[in-house]
Amino acid sequence: MPSPAKRLLEVEDYLFSFIDDTRALAESSGVAPVPLGVGDSDLPTPPPVVAAIQQAVMDPRSHRYPPYAGTGEMRTAAANFLDRRFGVTTNPDTEVLVTLGNKEAMAHLTLAYIEPGDVVLVPDPAYPVYETWARFCGGEVYRVPLRPEHGFLPNLDEIPLDILARAKLFWVCYPNNPTAALATSEFFDELARFARTHDLVVASDAAYTEIYYDTEPPPSFLASPGAMDCGIEFHSLSKTYNMPGWRVGFAAGNAEIVAALRAVKTNTDSGTFGAVQHAAAAALDDTSDYPRQLRETYRTRMHTLCDGLEAAGLDVIRPKATFYCLVRNPPGLDSSGFAKRLLEDAGVLGIPATGFGPGGEGYVRLTVCTGMEAIEEAVRRISSVTW
């Protein structure tokens, strides 16, 4: 039997396989853990979106291969969303591309740009896919620290010039996973100037822009002056419309960057099922503001979780966005030890933030992607433990 490619040996197993393994181990020992680990919402897809796909799937035209760039309906809906929500003007024919969710598109963008020896700038901590695919492509990863004293924003002045000379791609994610931090328009303006100065492609993961609490709506990187010259942004319907299993999103930005991503995708996949694209377009075009209802649900859950954790004596970084919160390790525990105690002593499944990079040491990440009854049970269990 031939050995797997070396690239598989050079990267760590995907973070969330840890969650599956840990959950299975806990359940085998008789524990029924409260799952506060994965950002996979328990809420259903909005009924109008489900109705739209039910209608579309009956149309035989949906059963054929879709256009490689995505249907005109979906690309137009995406462009209209960007204009309506962020004031960003895009050409749906050349600057918008339908994707199979964000994860696939992020991998393929890296494949489009990174060759052996190129540097990829990756935040630390960060969604693991950024780093994994950089290494799959033979790239060198330079971790850019996200520190609480800097608002979990990268300090661009700290990146060495010799690294920048070899860097091609700079990943950012705001609202941020796992820290839940927000970026300001001023930071995005600075990032666009920085990227143009150093000839970088900025890849902005914008999956969480519609999940925010008690703050102004988060901005888009593409709204900053010069961002359309150097950037591409990834939007997903997984979080905003509870559609993670549907695998649909879109990328938008500079036409040359979009074309490079499209070239990889054209040779790799055959696009998102047309009926799914029709339903996604219906979601993006919807005027009932479903995301506002979603935010209210998550806000209530988040307040319940954070209030309970603080009452239990734990130190919580209260989020203004996303459905994640970071909890600081109690004295004497590292992140893995804290997650282990949460599981073994409280029966609550969280993720050590070191799963997102060494910069996550000091925290465990919890989510509110489960019902209020489960969150209240998690709080009760955690409160019964002496920390």
Side-chain angles (χ1 to χ4, degrees):
M1 176 71 68
S3 299
K6 289 183 179 179
R7 67 177 64 91
L8 292 183
L9 306 177
E10 293 171 354
V11 297
E12 296 180 2
D13 194 10
Y14 185 58
L15 168 65
F16 298 111
S17 65
F18 157 82
I19 299 169
D20 291 339
D21 293 345
T22 305
R23 181 187 292 119
L25 179 63
E27 291 175 348
S28 69
S29 64
V31 179
V34 179
L36 301 184
V38 181
D40 183 7
S41 180
D42 63 307
L43 298 169
T45 304
V49 180
V50 176
I53 195 172
Q54 289 172 330
Q55 176 191 34
V57 80
M58 298 303 293
D59 185 344
R61 291 174 295 181
S62 296
H63 306 167
R64 306 186 68 180
Y65 287 121
Y68 280 111
T71 64
E73 177 190 33
M74 175 61 183
R75 286 183 282 111
T76 298
N80 289 341
F81 167 78
L82 292 173
D83 186 23
R84 183 174 66 250
R85 170 66 175 81
F86 302 106
V88 171
T89 300
T90 53
N91 183 330
D93 294 327
T94 60
E95 296 174 330
V96 178
L97 180 68
V98 180
T99 64
L100 289 158
N102 277 7
K103 188 176 179 182
E104 161 271 316
M106 292 169 182
H108 287 154
L109 179 73
T110 310
L111 194 59
Y113 275 92
I114 300 305
E115 297 176 305
D118 291 336
V119 171
V120 180
L121 303 175
V122 175
D124 180 21
Y127 185 47
V129 171
Y130 313 151
E131 177 171 343
T132 298
W133 267 88
R135 297 196 186 281
F136 276 170
C137 294
E140 177 183 331
V141 172
Y142 181 84
R143 292 190 175 103
V144 182
L146 303 184
R147 302 186 183 95
E149 61 270 22
H150 204 253
F152 292 111
L153 294 170
N155 187 336
L156 303 180
D157 294 335
E158 290 184 351
I159 304 173
L161 290 177
D162 63 321
I163 292 294
L164 289 170
R166 296 189 294 123
K168 281 189 176 179
L169 193 57
F170 193 167
W171 286 100
V172 293
C173 172
Y174 292 100
N176 185 259
N177 174 24
T179 70
L182 293 167
T184 62
S185 296
E186 291 75 16
F187 169 74
F188 279 153
D189 292 350
E190 179 189 6
L191 178 60
R193 289 192 297 269
F194 182 83
R196 294 174 72 191
T197 297
H198 296 285
D199 196 23
L200 299 169
V201 170
V202 173
S204 172
D205 179 356
Y208 301 95
T209 59
E210 306 314 294
I211 303 175
Y212 56 91
Y213 321 113
D214 308 316
T215 188
E216 291 296 313
S220 162
F221 171 68
L222 297 180
S224 289
M228 286 293 291
D229 296 331
C230 62
I232 185 169
E233 193 161 77
F234 298 94
H235 289 264
S236 171
L237 280 81
S238 295
K239 317 301 183 186
T240 308
Y241 293 94
N242 306 324
M243 298 169 68
W246 297 54
R247 307 318 305 146
V248 62
F250 65 91
N254 176 270
E256 291 184 13
I257 302 173
V258 169
L261 174 58
R262 177 179 176 175
V264 175
K265 285 180 56 60
T266 299
N267 287 282
T268 308
D269 66 64
S270 297
T272 299
F273 180 31
V276 169
Q277 292 192 54
H278 174 73
L284 291 171
D285 285 337
D286 182 46
T287 57
S288 67
D289 195 15
Y290 173 77
R292 180 188 57 78
Q293 303 171 43
L294 190 68
R295 288 193 291 273
E296 290 299 324
T297 298
Y298 285 142
R299 178 188 287 109
T300 301
R301 292 179 178 185
M302 190 62 76
H303 281 311
T304 298
L305 177 63
C306 292
D307 288 349
L309 293 172
E310 289 178 346
L314 295 173
D315 189 1
V316 184
I317 299 180
R318 284 183 172 259
K320 292 186 176 181
T322 78
F323 38 53
Y324 307 119
C325 71
L326 290 183
V327 187
R328 289 189 175 89
N329 300 342
L333 293 174
D334 62 10
S335 294
S336 294
F338 184 22
K340 188 172 184 288
R341 282 204 65 195
L342 279 172
L343 183 63
E344 294 180 350
D345 296 353
V348 173
L349 178 60
I351 300 178
T354 45
F356 300 90
E361 181 53 66
Y363 308 94
V364 162
R365 193 197 75 174
L366 302 179
T367 79
V368 290
C369 293
T370 189
M372 277 293 292
E373 184 177 341
I375 291 171
E376 290 169 348
E377 174 63 15
V379 167
R380 186 192 67 77
R381 293 183 183 188
I382 291 170
S383 298
S384 69
V385 177
T386 300
W387 300 102

